[in-house]
Coordinates of all heavy atoms in Angstrom, one line a residue:
M1 N 0.8 -1.2 0.0 CA 0.0 0.0 0.0 C 0.9 1.2 0.0 O 1.9 1.3 0.7 CB -0.9 0.0 1.2 CG -2.0 1.0 1.2 SD -3.0 0.9 2.7 CE -3.9 -0.6 2.5
R2 N 0.6 2.2 -0.8 CA 1.4 3.4 -0.9 C 1.1 4.3 0.3 O 0.1 4.2 1.0 CB 1.0 4.2 -2.2 CG 1.6 3.5 -3.4 CD 1.3 4.2 -4.6 NE -0.1 4.1 -4.9 CZ -0.8 4.9 -5.7 NH1 -0.3 5.9 -6.3 NH2 -2.1 4.7 -5.8
R3 N 2.1 5.1 0.6 CA 2.0 6.0 1.8 C 0.7 6.8 1.9 O 0.1 6.9 2.9 CB 3.3 6.9 1.8 CG 3.3 7.9 2.9 CD 3.7 7.2 4.2 NE 3.8 8.2 5.2 CZ 3.3 8.0 6.4 NH1 2.8 6.9 6.8 NH2 3.4 9.0 7.3
A4 N 0.3 7.4 0.8 CA -0.9 8.2 0.8 C -2.1 7.4 1.1 O -3.0 7.8 1.9 CB -1.1 8.9 -0.6
E5 N -2.2 6.2 0.6 CA -3.3 5.3 0.9 C -3.3 4.9 2.4 O -4.3 4.8 3.1 CB -3.2 4.0 0.1 CG -3.5 4.3 -1.4 CD -3.2 3.1 -2.3 OE1 -2.7 2.1 -1.7 OE2 -3.6 3.1 -3.4
E6 N -2.1 4.7 3.0 CA -1.9 4.3 4.4 C -2.4 5.5 5.3 O -3.1 5.3 6.3 CB -0.5 4.0 4.7 CG 0.0 2.7 4.1 CD 1.4 2.4 4.4 OE1 2.1 3.3 5.0 OE2 1.9 1.4 3.9
V7 N -2.0 6.7 4.9 CA -2.5 7.9 5.6 C -4.0 8.0 5.6 O -4.6 8.3 6.6 CB -1.7 9.1 5.1 CG1 -2.3 10.4 5.7 CG2 -0.2 9.1 5.4
N8 N -4.5 7.9 4.4 CA -6.0 8.0 4.2 C -6.7 6.9 5.1 O -7.7 7.2 5.7 CB -6.4 7.8 2.8 CG -6.0 9.1 2.0 OD1 -5.9 10.2 2.5 ND2 -5.9 8.9 0.7
E9 N -6.2 5.7 5.1 CA -6.8 4.6 5.8 C -6.7 4.9 7.3 O -7.7 4.7 8.0 CB -6.1 3.3 5.5 CG -6.7 2.1 6.4 CD -5.9 0.8 6.2 OE1 -5.0 0.7 5.3 OE2 -6.2 -0.1 6.9
L10 N -5.6 5.4 7.8 CA -5.4 5.7 9.2 C -6.3 6.9 9.6 O -7.0 6.8 10.6 CB -4.0 6.1 9.5 CG -3.7 6.4 10.9 CD1 -4.0 5.3 11.9 CD2 -2.2 6.8 11.1
N11 N -6.4 7.9 8.8 CA -7.4 9.0 9.1 C -8.8 8.6 9.1 O -9.6 9.0 10.0 CB -7.2 10.1 8.1 CG -5.9 10.9 8.3 OD1 -5.3 10.9 9.4 ND2 -5.4 11.5 7.2
A12 N -9.2 7.7 8.2 CA -10.6 7.1 8.3 C -10.8 6.3 9.5 O -11.8 6.4 10.2 CB -10.8 6.3 7.0
L13 N -9.8 5.5 9.9 CA -9.9 4.7 11.1 C -10.0 5.6 12.4 O -10.8 5.4 13.3 CB -8.7 3.8 11.3 CG -8.6 2.9 12.5 CD1 -9.8 2.0 12.5 CD2 -7.3 2.1 12.4
K14 N -9.2 6.7 12.4 CA -9.3 7.6 13.5 C -10.7 8.2 13.6 O -11.2 8.4 14.7 CB -8.3 8.8 13.4 CG -6.9 8.3 13.7 CD -5.9 9.5 13.4 CE -4.5 9.1 13.6 NZ -3.6 10.2 13.4
R15 N -11.3 8.6 12.5 CA -12.6 9.2 12.5 C -13.6 8.2 13.0 O -14.5 8.5 13.8 CB -13.0 9.6 11.1 CG -12.4 11.0 10.7 CD -13.1 11.5 9.4 NE -12.9 10.6 8.2 CZ -11.9 10.5 7.5 NH1 -10.8 11.3 7.7 NH2 -11.8 9.7 6.5
R16 N -13.5 6.9 12.6 CA -14.5 5.9 13.0 C -14.3 5.6 14.5 O -15.2 5.5 15.3 CB -14.3 4.6 12.2 CG -14.8 4.7 10.8 CD -14.8 3.4 10.1 NE -13.6 2.6 10.1 CZ -12.7 2.6 9.2 NH1 -12.8 3.4 8.1 NH2 -11.6 1.9 9.3
Y17 N -13.0 5.6 15.0 CA -12.7 5.4 16.4 C -13.3 6.5 17.3 O -13.8 6.2 18.4 CB -11.2 5.2 16.6 CG -10.8 4.8 18.0 CD1 -11.0 3.5 18.4 CD2 -10.3 5.7 18.9 CE1 -10.6 3.1 19.7 CE2 -10.0 5.3 20.2 CZ -10.1 4.0 20.6 OH -9.8 3.6 21.8
R18 N -13.3 7.7 16.9 CA -13.8 8.8 17.7 C -15.3 8.7 17.9 O -15.9 9.2 18.8 CB -13.5 10.1 17.0 CG -12.1 10.6 17.2 CD -11.9 12.0 16.8 NE -12.1 12.3 15.4 CZ -11.1 12.3 14.5 NH1 -9.9 12.1 14.8 NH2 -11.4 12.6 13.3
Q19 N -16.0 7.9 17.0 CA -17.4 7.6 17.1 C -17.8 6.7 18.3 O -18.9 6.6 18.7 CB -18.0 7.1 15.8 CG -17.9 8.1 14.7 CD -18.4 7.4 13.4 OE1 -18.8 6.3 13.4 NE2 -18.4 8.2 12.3
L20 N -16.8 5.9 18.7 CA -17.0 4.9 19.8 C -17.3 5.6 21.1 O -16.7 6.6 21.5 CB -15.9 4.0 19.9 CG -15.5 3.1 18.7 CD1 -14.3 2.3 19.0 CD2 -16.6 2.3 18.2
T21 N -18.1 4.9 21.9 CA -18.3 5.4 23.3 C -17.1 4.9 24.1 O -16.4 4.0 23.7 CB -19.6 4.8 23.9 OG1 -19.5 3.4 24.0 CG2 -20.8 5.2 23.1
T22 N -17.0 5.5 25.3 CA -15.9 5.0 26.2 C -16.0 3.6 26.5 O -15.1 2.8 26.5 CB -16.0 5.9 27.5 OG1 -15.8 7.2 27.2 CG2 -14.9 5.5 28.5
R23 N -17.3 3.1 26.7 CA -17.5 1.7 27.1 C -17.1 0.8 25.9 O -16.5 -0.3 26.0 CB -18.9 1.4 27.5 CG -19.2 0.0 27.9 CD -18.4 -0.4 29.1 NE -19.2 0.0 30.3 CZ -18.7 -0.1 31.5 NH1 -17.5 -0.7 31.7 NH2 -19.4 0.3 32.5
E24 N -17.5 1.2 24.7 CA -17.2 0.4 23.5 C -15.6 0.3 23.3 O -15.1 -0.8 23.0 CB -17.8 1.1 22.2 CG -19.3 0.9 22.2 CD -20.0 1.8 21.1 OE1 -19.3 2.7 20.6 OE2 -21.2 1.5 20.8
K25 N -14.9 1.4 23.5 CA -13.5 1.4 23.5 C -12.9 0.4 24.5 O -12.0 -0.3 24.2 CB -12.9 2.8 23.7 CG -13.2 3.7 22.5 CD -12.7 5.1 22.9 CE -13.1 6.1 21.8 NZ -12.7 7.5 22.1
E26 N -13.5 0.5 25.7 CA -13.0 -0.4 26.8 C -13.2 -1.9 26.4 O -12.3 -2.7 26.6 CB -13.7 0.0 28.0 CG -13.3 -0.8 29.3 CD -14.0 -0.3 30.5 OE1 -15.1 0.3 30.4 OE2 -13.5 -0.5 31.6
V27 N -14.4 -2.2 25.9 CA -14.7 -3.6 25.5 C -13.8 -4.0 24.4 O -13.2 -5.1 24.5 CB -16.2 -3.7 25.1 CG1 -16.5 -5.1 24.5 CG2 -17.1 -3.5 26.3
L28 N -13.6 -3.2 23.4 CA -12.7 -3.6 22.3 C -11.3 -3.8 22.7 O -10.6 -4.7 22.2 CB -12.7 -2.6 21.1 CG -14.0 -2.6 20.3 CD1 -13.8 -1.7 19.0 CD2 -14.4 -4.0 19.9
S29 N -10.8 -3.0 23.6 CA -9.5 -3.2 24.2 C -9.3 -4.5 24.8 O -8.3 -5.2 24.7 CB -9.2 -2.0 25.2 OG -7.9 -2.2 25.7
L30 N -10.3 -4.9 25.6 CA -10.3 -6.2 26.3 C -10.4 -7.4 25.3 O -9.8 -8.4 25.4 CB -11.4 -6.3 27.3 CG -11.2 -5.3 28.5 CD1 -12.4 -5.3 29.4 CD2 -9.9 -5.6 29.3
V31 N -11.2 -7.2 24.2 CA -11.3 -8.2 23.1 C -9.9 -8.4 22.5 O -9.5 -9.5 22.3 CB -12.3 -7.8 22.1 CG1 -12.2 -8.6 20.8 CG2 -13.7 -7.8 22.6
A32 N -9.2 -7.3 22.2 CA -7.9 -7.3 21.6 C -6.9 -8.0 22.5 O -5.9 -8.6 22.1 CB -7.4 -5.9 21.2
E33 N -7.1 -7.9 23.8 CA -6.3 -8.6 24.8 C -6.5 -10.1 24.8 O -5.8 -10.9 25.5 CB -6.4 -8.0 26.2 CG -5.9 -6.7 26.4 CD -6.0 -6.1 27.8 OE1 -6.2 -7.0 28.7 OE2 -6.1 -4.9 28.0
G34 N -7.6 -10.6 24.2 CA -7.9 -12.0 24.1 C -8.9 -12.5 25.1 O -9.1 -13.7 25.2
L35 N -9.6 -11.6 25.8 CA -10.6 -12.0 26.7 C -11.9 -12.4 26.0 O -12.2 -11.9 24.9 CB -10.9 -10.9 27.7 CG -10.0 -10.8 29.0 CD1 -8.6 -10.4 28.6 CD2 -10.6 -9.8 29.9
T36 N -12.6 -13.4 26.6 CA -13.9 -13.8 26.0 C -14.9 -12.8 26.5 O -14.7 -12.0 27.4 CB -14.2 -15.2 26.5 OG1 -14.4 -15.1 28.0 CG2 -13.2 -16.2 26.2
N37 N -16.1 -12.9 25.9 CA -17.2 -12.1 26.3 C -17.5 -12.3 27.8 O -17.8 -11.3 28.5 CB -18.5 -12.3 25.5 CG -18.3 -11.8 24.1 OD1 -17.6 -11.0 23.8 ND2 -19.1 -12.4 23.2
K38 N -17.5 -13.5 28.2 CA -17.8 -13.8 29.7 C -16.7 -13.2 30.6 O -17.1 -12.6 31.6 CB -17.8 -15.3 29.8 CG -17.9 -15.8 31.3 CD -19.3 -15.6 31.8 CE -19.5 -16.3 33.1 NZ -19.6 -15.5 34.3
E39 N -15.5 -13.3 30.2 CA -14.4 -12.7 31.0 C -14.5 -11.2 31.1 O -14.3 -10.5 32.1 CB -13.0 -13.1 30.4 CG -12.7 -14.6 30.6 CD -11.5 -15.0 29.8 OE1 -11.2 -14.5 28.7 OE2 -10.8 -16.0 30.3
I40 N -14.9 -10.6 29.9 CA -15.1 -9.1 29.9 C -16.2 -8.7 30.8 O -16.2 -7.8 31.5 CB -15.3 -8.6 28.4 CG1 -14.0 -8.9 27.6 CG2 -15.7 -7.1 28.4 CD1 -14.2 -8.7 26.1
A41 N -17.3 -9.5 30.7 CA -18.5 -9.2 31.5 C -18.2 -9.3 33.0 O -18.6 -8.4 33.7 CB -19.6 -10.2 31.1
D42 N -17.4 -10.3 33.3 CA -17.1 -10.4 34.7 C -16.2 -9.3 35.2 O -16.4 -8.7 36.3 CB -16.3 -11.8 35.0 CG -17.2 -13.0 34.8 OD1 -18.5 -12.8 34.9 OD2 -16.7 -14.1 34.7
R43 N -15.2 -8.9 34.4 CA -14.3 -7.8 34.7 C -15.0 -6.5 34.9 O -14.7 -5.7 35.8 CB -13.2 -7.7 33.7 CG -12.2 -6.6 34.1 CD -11.0 -6.6 33.2 NE -10.2 -7.8 33.3 CZ -9.0 -7.9 32.7 NH1 -8.5 -7.0 32.0 NH2 -8.3 -9.0 32.9
L44 N -16.0 -6.2 33.9 CA -16.7 -4.9 34.0 C -18.0 -5.0 34.8 O -18.7 -4.0 34.9 CB -17.0 -4.5 32.5 CG -15.8 -4.3 31.6 CD1 -16.2 -3.9 30.2 CD2 -14.8 -3.3 32.2
E45 N -18.3 -6.1 35.3 CA -19.5 -6.3 36.1 C -20.7 -6.0 35.3 O -21.6 -5.3 35.8 CB -19.4 -5.5 37.4 CG -18.3 -6.0 38.3 CD -18.2 -5.2 39.6 OE1 -18.9 -4.2 39.8 OE2 -17.3 -5.6 40.5
L46 N -20.8 -6.5 34.1 CA -21.9 -6.4 33.2 C -22.3 -7.8 32.7 O -21.6 -8.7 32.9 CB -21.5 -5.5 32.0 CG -21.0 -4.1 32.2 CD1 -20.4 -3.5 31.0 CD2 -22.2 -3.3 32.7
S47 N -23.5 -7.8 32.0 CA -23.9 -9.1 31.5 C -23.3 -9.4 30.2 O -22.8 -8.5 29.5 CB -25.5 -9.1 31.4 OG -25.8 -8.2 30.3
V48 N -23.2 -10.7 29.9 CA -22.7 -11.1 28.6 C -23.5 -10.4 27.4 O -22.8 -10.0 26.4 CB -22.6 -12.6 28.4 CG1 -22.2 -13.1 27.0 CG2 -21.6 -13.2 29.5
P49 N -24.8 -10.4 27.4 CA -25.5 -9.8 26.3 C -25.2 -8.3 26.2 O -25.1 -7.8 25.1 CB -27.0 -9.9 26.7 CG -27.0 -11.2 27.6 CD -25.7 -11.1 28.3
T50 N -24.9 -7.6 27.3 CA -24.5 -6.2 27.2 C -23.1 -6.1 26.5 O -22.9 -5.2 25.7 CB -24.4 -5.6 28.6 OG1 -25.8 -5.6 29.2 CG2 -24.0 -4.1 28.6
I51 N -22.2 -7.0 26.9 CA -20.9 -7.0 26.2 C -21.0 -7.2 24.8 O -20.4 -6.6 23.9 CB -19.9 -8.0 26.9 CG1 -19.7 -7.7 28.4 CG2 -18.6 -8.2 26.1 CD1 -19.1 -6.3 28.6
K52 N -21.8 -8.2 24.4 CA -22.1 -8.5 23.0 C -22.6 -7.3 22.2 O -22.2 -7.1 21.1 CB -23.0 -9.7 22.8 CG -22.4 -11.0 23.2 CD -23.4 -12.2 23.0 CE -22.8 -13.5 23.4 NZ -23.8 -14.6 23.2
M53 N -23.5 -6.6 22.9 CA -24.1 -5.4 22.2 C -23.0 -4.3 22.0 O -22.9 -3.8 20.9 CB -25.2 -4.8 23.1 CG -25.8 -3.5 22.6 SD -26.7 -2.6 23.8 CE -25.4 -2.1 25.0
H54 N -22.2 -4.0 23.0 CA -21.1 -3.1 22.9 C -20.1 -3.5 21.8 O -19.7 -2.7 21.0 CB -20.4 -2.8 24.2 CG -21.2 -2.1 25.3 ND1 -21.7 -0.8 25.0 CD2 -21.5 -2.4 26.5 CE1 -22.3 -0.4 26.1 NE2 -22.2 -1.4 27.0
R55 N -19.8 -4.8 21.9 CA -18.8 -5.3 20.9 C -19.4 -5.2 19.5 O -18.7 -4.8 18.5 CB -18.5 -6.7 21.3 CG -17.5 -7.4 20.4 CD -17.1 -8.7 21.0 NE -16.3 -9.4 20.0 CZ -15.7 -10.6 20.3 NH1 -15.9 -11.2 21.5 NH2 -14.9 -11.2 19.4
S56 N -20.6 -5.5 19.3 CA -21.2 -5.5 18.0 C -21.3 -4.1 17.4 O -21.0 -3.8 16.3 CB -22.6 -6.1 18.0 OG -23.3 -5.9 16.8
R57 N -21.8 -3.1 18.3 CA -21.9 -1.7 17.9 C -20.5 -1.2 17.5 O -20.3 -0.4 16.5 CB -22.6 -0.9 18.9 CG -24.0 -1.2 19.0 CD -24.7 -0.4 20.1 NE -26.1 -0.7 20.2 CZ -26.9 -0.2 21.1 NH1 -26.4 0.5 22.1 NH2 -28.2 -0.5 21.1
A58 N -19.5 -1.5 18.3 CA -18.2 -1.0 18.1 C -17.6 -1.5 16.8 O -17.0 -0.8 16.0 CB -17.3 -1.3 19.3
S59 N -17.8 -2.8 16.6 CA -17.3 -3.5 15.4 C -17.9 -2.8 14.1 O -17.3 -2.6 13.1 CB -17.5 -5.0 15.4 OG -16.7 -5.6 16.4
E60 N -19.2 -2.6 14.3 CA -19.9 -1.9 13.1 C -19.4 -0.6 12.9 O -19.1 -0.2 11.7 CB -21.4 -1.9 13.4 CG -22.2 -1.3 12.3 CD -23.7 -1.3 12.6 OE1 -24.2 -2.3 13.3 OE2 -24.4 -0.4 12.1
K61 N -19.2 0.2 13.9 CA -18.6 1.6 13.7 C -17.2 1.6 13.2 O -16.9 2.4 12.4 CB -18.6 2.3 15.1 CG -20.0 2.7 15.6 CD -19.9 3.3 17.0 CE -21.3 3.6 17.5 NZ -21.2 4.2 18.9
L62 N -16.4 0.6 13.6 CA -15.0 0.5 13.1 C -14.9 -0.3 11.8 O -13.9 -0.3 11.1 CB -14.1 -0.2 14.1 CG -13.6 0.6 15.3 CD1 -12.7 -0.3 16.1 CD2 -12.9 1.9 14.8
A63 N -16.0 -0.9 11.3 CA -16.1 -1.7 10.1 C -15.1 -2.9 10.2 O -14.3 -3.1 9.3 CB -15.7 -0.8 8.9
T64 N -15.1 -3.5 11.4 CA -14.3 -4.7 11.6 C -15.3 -5.9 11.7 O -16.4 -5.8 12.2 CB -13.5 -4.6 12.8 OG1 -14.3 -4.3 14.0 CG2 -12.4 -3.5 12.7
D65 N -14.8 -7.1 11.3 CA -15.6 -8.3 11.3 C -15.0 -9.4 12.2 O -15.6 -10.4 12.3 CB -15.8 -8.8 9.9 CG -16.6 -7.9 9.0 OD1 -17.5 -7.3 9.5 OD2 -16.3 -7.8 7.8
S66 N -13.8 -9.2 12.7 CA -13.2 -10.3 13.4 C -12.3 -9.7 14.5 O -12.0 -8.5 14.6 CB -12.3 -11.1 12.5 OG -11.2 -10.4 12.0
V67 N -11.9 -10.6 15.5 CA -11.0 -10.2 16.5 C -9.7 -9.7 15.9 O -9.1 -8.7 16.4 CB -10.8 -11.3 17.5 CG1 -9.7 -11.0 18.5 CG2 -12.1 -11.7 18.2
A68 N -9.2 -10.4 14.9 CA -8.0 -10.0 14.2 C -8.1 -8.6 13.6 O -7.1 -7.8 13.8 CB -7.6 -11.0 13.1
E69 N -9.2 -8.2 13.0 CA -9.4 -6.9 12.5 C -9.4 -5.8 13.6 O -8.9 -4.7 13.5 CB -10.6 -6.8 11.6 CG -10.4 -7.5 10.3 CD -11.6 -7.5 9.4 OE1 -12.7 -6.9 9.8 OE2 -11.6 -8.0 8.3
I70 N -10.1 -6.2 14.7 CA -10.2 -5.3 15.8 C -8.8 -5.0 16.4 O -8.4 -3.9 16.6 CB -11.1 -5.9 16.9 CG1 -12.5 -5.9 16.5 CG2 -10.9 -5.1 18.2 CD1 -13.5 -6.7 17.4
T71 N -8.0 -6.1 16.5 CA -6.7 -6.0 17.1 C -5.8 -5.1 16.2 O -5.1 -4.3 16.6 CB -6.1 -7.4 17.3 OG1 -6.9 -8.1 18.2 CG2 -4.7 -7.3 17.9
R72 N -5.9 -5.4 14.9 CA -5.1 -4.6 13.9 C -5.4 -3.1 14.0 O -4.6 -2.3 14.0 CB -5.3 -5.2 12.5 CG -4.6 -4.4 11.4 CD -4.9 -5.0 10.0 NE -4.2 -4.2 9.0 CZ -4.7 -3.1 8.4 NH1 -5.9 -2.7 8.8 NH2 -4.0 -2.4 7.5
A73 N -6.7 -2.8 14.0 CA -7.2 -1.4 14.1 C -6.6 -0.8 15.3 O -6.1 0.4 15.3 CB -8.7 -1.4 14.1
L74 N -6.7 -1.4 16.5 CA -6.2 -0.8 17.7 C -4.7 -0.7 17.7 O -4.2 0.3 18.2 CB -6.6 -1.7 18.9 CG -8.2 -1.7 19.2 CD1 -8.5 -2.5 20.4 CD2 -8.7 -0.3 19.3
I75 N -4.0 -1.6 17.1 CA -2.5 -1.5 17.0 C -2.2 -0.3 16.1 O -1.3 0.5 16.5 CB -1.9 -2.8 16.4 CG1 -1.9 -3.9 17.4 CG2 -0.5 -2.5 15.9 CD1 -1.6 -5.3 16.9
L76 N -2.8 -0.1 15.0 CA -2.6 1.0 14.1 C -2.9 2.3 14.8 O -2.1 3.3 14.7 CB -3.5 0.9 12.8 CG -3.1 -0.1 11.8 CD1 -4.2 -0.2 10.7 CD2 -1.7 0.2 11.2
L77 N -3.9 2.4 15.6 CA -4.3 3.6 16.3 C -3.2 3.9 17.4 O -2.8 5.0 17.6 CB -5.6 3.5 16.9 CG -6.8 3.6 15.9 CD1 -8.1 3.1 16.6 CD2 -7.0 5.0 15.4
N78 N -2.8 2.9 18.1 CA -1.8 3.0 19.2 C -0.4 3.5 18.6 O 0.2 4.3 19.1 CB -1.6 1.7 20.0 CG -2.7 1.5 20.9 OD1 -3.4 2.5 21.4 ND2 -3.0 0.3 21.3
E79 N -0.1 2.9 17.4 CA 1.2 3.3 16.8 C 1.1 4.7 16.3 O 2.1 5.5 16.4 CB 1.5 2.4 15.6 CG 1.9 1.0 16.0 CD 2.1 0.1 14.8 OE1 1.8 0.4 13.7 OE2 2.6 -1.0 15.0
A80 N 0.0 5.2 15.8 CA -0.2 6.5 15.3 C -0.1 7.5 16.5 O 0.5 8.6 16.3 CB -1.5 6.7 14.6
T81 N -0.6 7.2 17.6 CA -0.6 8.1 18.7 C 0.8 8.1 19.4 O 1.2 9.1 20.1 CB -1.7 7.8 19.8 OG1 -1.5 6.5 20.2 CG2 -3.0 8.0 19.2
A82 N 1.6 7.1 19.2 CA 2.9 7.0 19.8 C 3.9 7.8 19.1 O 5.0 8.1 19.6 CB 3.3 5.5 19.9
K83 N 3.6 8.1 17.8 CA 4.6 8.8 17.0 C 4.6 10.3 17.3 O 3.8 10.9 17.8 CB 4.2 8.7 15.5 CG 4.5 7.3 15.0 CD 4.1 7.2 13.6 CE 4.3 5.7 13.1 NZ 4.0 5.5 11.7

């Protein structure tokens, strides 16, 4: 991918990420750490259906379909903020 395309992709990802609620960001971060919905629910003291809802809405907003895509998106965002 060329540099301009990478920059455009990152900027689009940043815009989508800003649409997430604080809770959605928290849930996705825990998903990227490898926690299951049940483990996330226990940690946040929420129900599994609530975690599934936050995860689904966040994935839709970020346009991700898998844990791998969620993890990749969060890595890209972290790398961008570290620069």
Side-chain angles (χ1 to χ4, degrees):
M1 189 179 292
R2 289 183 287 162
R3 178 77 179 134
E5 291 172 352
E6 290 174 0
V7 169
N8 287 339
E9 179 184 352
L10 182 58
N11 286 336
L13 181 58
K14 286 178 181 178
R15 282 191 300 277
R16 291 191 305 267
Y17 187 75
R18 284 193 296 265
Q19 295 175 358
L20 300 179
T21 66
T22 301
R23 182 65 83 186
E24 289 167 346
K25 290 174 184 176
E26 185 176 23
V27 168
L28 286 191
S29 177
L30 294 171
V31 167
E33 288 181 26
L35 274 66
T36 65
N37 290 337
K38 173 77 169 106
E39 292 168 330
I40 296 168
D42 290 345
R43 183 175 293 185
L44 299 180
E45 299 180 351
L46 298 170
S47 69
V48 171
T50 299
I51 296 304
K52 288 180 179 180
M53 178 198 63
H54 288 304
R55 185 174 171 171
S56 174
R57 288 180 180 170
S59 290
E60 184 176 326
K61 290 175 185 178
L62 281 184
T64 57
D65 293 322
S66 67
V67 173
E69 288 180 359
I70 290 168
T71 303
R72 179 180 177 272
L74 295 180
I75 289 170
L76 288 173
L77 289 164
N78 285 334
E79 287 176 351
T81 57
K83 291 182 181 179

